[in-house]
Amino acid sequence: MAVSMSPRLALFRSWIGRVSTATLVVALFVTALAACVLGLMLWKGYDSRRIALAQNETGTRNLAQSLAEHATHTFQGADIVLDDIVAYIRLRPELNAGFNERLRALADHLPQLSDVAIVDAAGDVTHASVTPVPPLNNADRDYFRYHRDNPDQKLLITGPIASRTSGQSIFAVSRRLETADSRFAGVVVATIASDYFSDFYKTIDLGPGGSISLLHSDGRLLIQWPSLQSGRDMSKSVLFQHELRQSPDGFYLTVSPFDGLTKYLAYRQISRYPLVVTVARTKDSVLSGWREAVRSDIAVAAAMLTCVVLLAAILAAQLRRRQEVQHLLRERDAHYRLIDANMGDVIVLTDPGGIMRFVSMSVETVLGLKPEQLIGRSWTEMVHADDVPALQAVAVRLRKSPAGLCAEFRMRRTEGDQVWLEANFAYTRSDRGPGDCVVGTLRDVTQRKLMEQEVKALNARLAELARTDGLTGLPNRRSLDGFISRTATSASTMAVLMIDVDDFKGFNDYFGHQGGDDALRQLGNLFSSRVTGMHGFAARYGGEEFTIVLPDADAAAAMSFAESLRTAVRALAVRNPASAHGCLTVSIGFACGTAPFDSALLLREADIALYDAKRRGRDRCVAAEPAAFVADAGPLQPEQEQPSTASAS
């Protein structure tokens, strides 16, 4: 039975019959390319949005972590100051007027502190870092009532409240003072201006609608930037009702209770203090860059689709060219076959344009590739990218070198490993046969290169070992002498610090040499990290002695650095039963000089100052006094075991 055909189907089949194969291929190519561009746009848009959101989450979480550390360090500094004052008053309860100077020095040392004051059991301010001491009674302050009614010794953070001396908004950080029989004796309080946080937060760009909040763990808003709100109760928010109960840090999408905008919010609860830090960025600002990129991609895609027809024509031309190249690759001359059969090295013939026309069968042994895989390709495709410029320079000079030229370069085998080849190139001119060409004889020299590299690496390692202390990883005394010699030619001033670990023999006797080695390694890491910011140089001088050189440092800078270094060693809290301090400490002597330098004299004066620090009781920093050295020109005496003190000279 005959089946009738619809008119449209018949018209389509008639059109297909008239369309040439090339036209059909071009049409299919255009359609496929358009589909690929559209698919790529959709995939890229989706993926870039995902990446933008992931980067925002990572960046916002990291910023919340950084701000939490900033808040921790801010209150920790005040905590340390208050703890020091409480310990001092416990030992010396009778305070004189000079104690105000001590409070003023503590407040000046920490930029976050506005004031430090002592309040007695009646609430009167008896000592303060401000001059004159204000005649105030703070018995009505919340922190005073809390410490009066609660015997705990924890740090209390109160605020924000209005300062009675400056009128500014401040946070009060306080601790309880007690008498010898544990009765309430008053409060030591330090204040931190709210502007300290807001001034720091305003340096952070969170985009339109972004905000930073510092909250108390009970939900009180301490400060919110940029609105500068405070005191608001946020305990009913999603953050305190749900998120903090699940995890001390997190990230989620929410509607801001401050401005009603949809925002991504990262939070972190500080473990050391009852504080929570949040960082919020609006969804629109997070995705604004992504939207701009999508619009740009759409414009680029439109331009690409406009050029599709031209690209199809170029592709057709390339296909024809490929057929021609394949035809040329089938032509093999007899003398090439003769060379291939009788040579053990790899023989390669290239035309003047660098296209390989013949490759001997031995290439399969060297590179793991068949000749057919290389013929018709440019030699630059196979050579390591770093070696291409050198070989191109050889090719330029080859025509003017009748004797030929040699070169070494790298290529990659099919297994993925790299081989070194030594090649002899010669330029051959011929009016018949294959015409002008370059003949290359290639030989595998990988093993020789590996041996050369091993010898070079061994020499470099030996040189490094000669300059480095094997235990601490610091430069040794030889490197120290070289650094001082180099620095003496450029620096105008120089400070040399001699550092000795206190009571180290007793430490070794108690913990053994392995424990002593571990302690020296910790100190080496500490000294190395400390001198980096000073452009200085730390070295192990010998035994438990270290030397640090600070170019362009005067006596004040050297003393400041030495004190910070001594404090950092104590902060390591390495237990030392042989020390009166109970922990590992160092004594430091330093000497400063101006150009021209006498390095031997600087080292000697620093060493004398070190022994002076030992004689004065250890755990201190002493500057060299050249005049005193001249007066006491006798030989240096071994240090005597003396009780150490905590203060520095």
Side-chain angles (χ1 to χ4, degrees):
M1 181 177 63
V3 179
S4 61
M5 184 181 300
S6 66
R8 291 185 178 180
L9 182 58
L11 181 63
F12 176 75
R13 288 187 174 180
S14 175
W15 178 79
I16 288 294
R18 291 193 300 271
V19 174
S20 64
T21 302
T23 303
L24 184 60
V25 169
V26 170
L28 291 175
F29 173 76
V30 171
T31 303
L33 185 58
C36 289
V37 171
L38 180 60
L40 179 63
M41 286 295 302
L42 293 175
W43 173 81
K44 184 179 179 182
Y46 169 79
D47 193 58
S48 61
R49 185 179 187 275
R50 178 184 60 80
I51 293 174
L53 293 177
Q55 290 176 340
N56 169 65
E57 179 176 355
T58 301
T60 309
R61 280 178 176 269
N62 290 341
L63 181 55
Q65 168 68 16
S66 298
L67 293 176
E69 291 181 359
H70 172 264
T72 299
H73 294 159
T74 299
F75 287 101
Q76 187 177 17
D79 192 2
I80 293 173
V81 167
L82 298 188
D83 188 60
D84 181 64
I85 294 173
V86 170
Y88 183 86
I89 295 176
R90 187 180 297 117
L91 295 174
R92 303 177 182 178
E94 298 298 329
L95 302 177
N96 53 31
F99 190 69
N100 294 329
E101 293 297 329
R102 180 182 180 89
L103 297 181
R104 186 176 304 110
L106 291 174
D108 293 341
H109 184 67
L110 295 178
Q112 66 263 41
L113 296 185
S114 300
D115 300 313
V116 182
I118 305 297
V119 181
D120 64 13
D124 293 326
V125 177
T126 60
H127 296 81
S129 60
V130 296
T131 305
V133 177
L136 298 175
N137 184 282
N138 289 342
D140 59 334
R141 290 293 199 185
D142 290 341
Y143 65 81
F144 182 86
R145 292 198 296 265
Y146 178 87
H147 289 303
R148 181 190 61 197
D149 301 335
N150 294 273
D152 62 73
Q153 297 294 324
K154 72 176 183 178
L155 183 77
L156 182 66
I157 300 174
T158 311
I161 58 178
S163 172
R164 288 176 172 168
T165 57
S166 64
Q168 293 181 335
S169 177
I170 60 170
F171 297 102
V173 185
S174 57
R175 279 188 180 276
R176 174 187 171 101
L177 295 174
E178 293 183 344
T179 62
D181 55 356
S182 299
R183 289 185 294 109
F184 177 66
V187 175
V188 56
V189 58
T191 62
I192 301 174
S194 298
D195 290 345
Y196 178 79
F197 290 98
S198 60
D199 290 344
F200 177 73
Y201 293 160
K202 70 174 61 174
T203 63
I204 302 171
D205 183 14
L206 296 176
S211 63
I212 300 172
S213 299
L214 180 65
L215 305 101
H216 197 278
S217 294
D218 61 8
R220 286 184 293 110
L221 179 65
L222 301 180
I223 186 170
Q224 199 270 351
W225 183 86
S227 68
L228 300 181
Q229 295 186 42
S230 62
R232 185 171 175 178
D233 184 8
M234 304 297 295
S235 60
K236 302 300 182 183
S237 64
V238 175
L239 174 64
F240 285 91
Q241 290 295 318
H242 181 267
E243 299 296 335
L244 280 173
R245 296 180 180 180
Q246 302 295 323
S247 174
D249 64 274
F251 180 86
Y252 62 97
L253 183 66
T254 185
V255 176
S256 172
F258 297 103
D259 50 23
L261 299 176
T262 300
K263 299 181 180 181
Y264 290 99
L265 185 141
Y267 68 90
R268 179 168 286 272
Q269 187 172 30
I270 299 174
S271 59
R272 190 181 184 95
Y273 302 105
L275 299 171
V276 179
V277 175
T278 68
V279 179
R281 294 186 64 194
T282 63
K283 186 176 181 180
D284 289 338
S285 66
V286 170
L287 295 178
S288 61
W290 169 76
R291 294 190 182 99
E292 184 64 28
V294 168
R295 285 192 290 267
S296 177
D297 290 343
I298 291 174
V300 172
M304 290 178 60
L305 292 176
T306 304
C307 300
V308 163
V309 175
L310 294 177
L311 292 175
I314 295 173
L315 178 62
Q318 291 296 323
L319 290 174
R320 289 194 298 272
R321 175 62 180 165
R322 182 181 179 87
Q323 292 176 349
E324 295 173 359
V325 171
Q326 288 176 345
H327 177 71
L328 293 174
L329 292 177
R330 298 190 188 98
E331 298 179 358
R332 303 286 180 85
D333 294 333
H335 65 282
Y336 290 156
R337 296 181 181 273
L338 181 62
I339 293 174
D340 190 13
N342 291 277
M343 292 293 294
D345 294 339
V346 180
I347 306 299
V348 178
L349 273 66
T350 63
D351 63 18
I355 303 300
M356 290 180 281
R357 298 304 183 192
F358 171 81
V359 181
S360 65
M361 296 297 296
S362 53
V363 74
E364 189 169 357
T365 303
V366 177
L367 298 180
L369 296 171
K370 294 183 179 298
E372 294 78 18
Q373 296 176 275
L374 299 175
I375 294 175
R377 299 171 65 178
S378 173
W379 61 267
T380 56
E381 299 178 26
M382 310 300 299
V383 177
H384 194 284
D386 294 342
D387 298 334
V388 169
L391 285 180
Q392 289 175 334
V394 170
V396 171
R397 295 186 290 115
L398 193 58
R399 295 194 183 194
K400 298 180 180 180
S401 302
L405 295 173
C406 296
E408 292 182 351
F409 54 92
R410 291 162 289 179
M411 297 183 72
R412 193 165 296 281
R413 293 172 52 87
T414 54
E415 293 84 358
D417 56 326
Q418 183 176 273
V419 296
W420 275 94
L421 298 177
E422 180 184 70
N424 293 305
F425 295 111
Y427 192 88
T428 303
R429 294 177 174 84
S430 176
D431 297 330
R432 296 178 297 174
D436 292 357
C437 63
V438 176
V439 179
T441 305
L442 281 60
R443 179 171 298 171
D444 187 351
V445 293
T446 304
Q447 292 301 320
R448 189 189 75 192
K449 281 289 184 181
L450 290 176
M451 292 179 63
E452 293 175 355
Q453 292 173 1
E454 289 176 0
V455 171
K456 184 177 180 181
L458 181 59
N459 290 335
R461 178 58 180 163
L462 290 174
E464 179 67 21
L465 290 174
R467 297 190 301 268
T468 305
D469 174 57
L471 175 62
T472 63
L474 290 175
N476 58 18
R477 187 167 179 178
R478 178 182 298 177
S479 298
L480 172 68
D481 294 339
F483 178 82
I484 293 178
S485 299
R486 294 191 301 272
T487 305
T489 62
S490 59
S492 59
T493 61
M494 182 190 299
V496 176
L497 284 71
M498 295 294 291
I499 306 161
D500 185 80
V501 184
D502 298 328
D503 304 297
F504 193 72
K505 182 180 183 303
F507 183 94
N508 260 342
D509 293 341
Y510 188 89
F511 291 105
H513 288 289
Q514 183 174 0
D517 290 347
D518 291 339
L520 291 177
R521 276 190 286 268
Q522 290 189 59
L523 293 176
N525 293 334
L526 174 64
F527 297 162
S528 178
S529 64
R530 285 280 174 160
V531 299
T532 301
M534 298 284 293
H535 304 289
F537 186 89
R540 186 181 180 191
Y541 198 75
E544 64 269 23
E545 288 191 354
F546 298 83
T547 303
I548 291 179
V549 181
L550 301 176
D552 297 319
D554 56 12
M559 175 60 82
S560 176
F561 178 84
E563 282 294 340
S564 66
L565 195 66
R566 184 185 64 82
T567 304
V569 172
R570 290 183 64 96
L572 291 176
V574 178
R575 191 166 70 91
N576 185 4
S579 171
H581 299 282
C583 65
L584 207 63
T585 61
V586 295
S587 298
I588 303 175
F590 67 90
C592 299
T594 58
F597 303 103
D598 186 337
S599 58
L601 180 59
L602 281 178
L603 286 168
R604 178 170 175 79
E605 290 184 351
D607 200 40
I608 292 171
L610 171 61
Y611 275 97
D612 193 15
K614 289 287 188 178
R615 285 194 294 267
R616 295 187 191 183
R618 301 182 180 83
D619 187 27
R620 62 186 62 236
C621 305
V622 173
E625 297 181 4
F629 163 65
V630 173
D632 183 16
L636 296 177
Q637 299 300 322
E639 64 173 287
Q640 300 297 322
E641 296 293 329
Q642 300 177 12
S644 60
T645 61
S647 61
S649 173

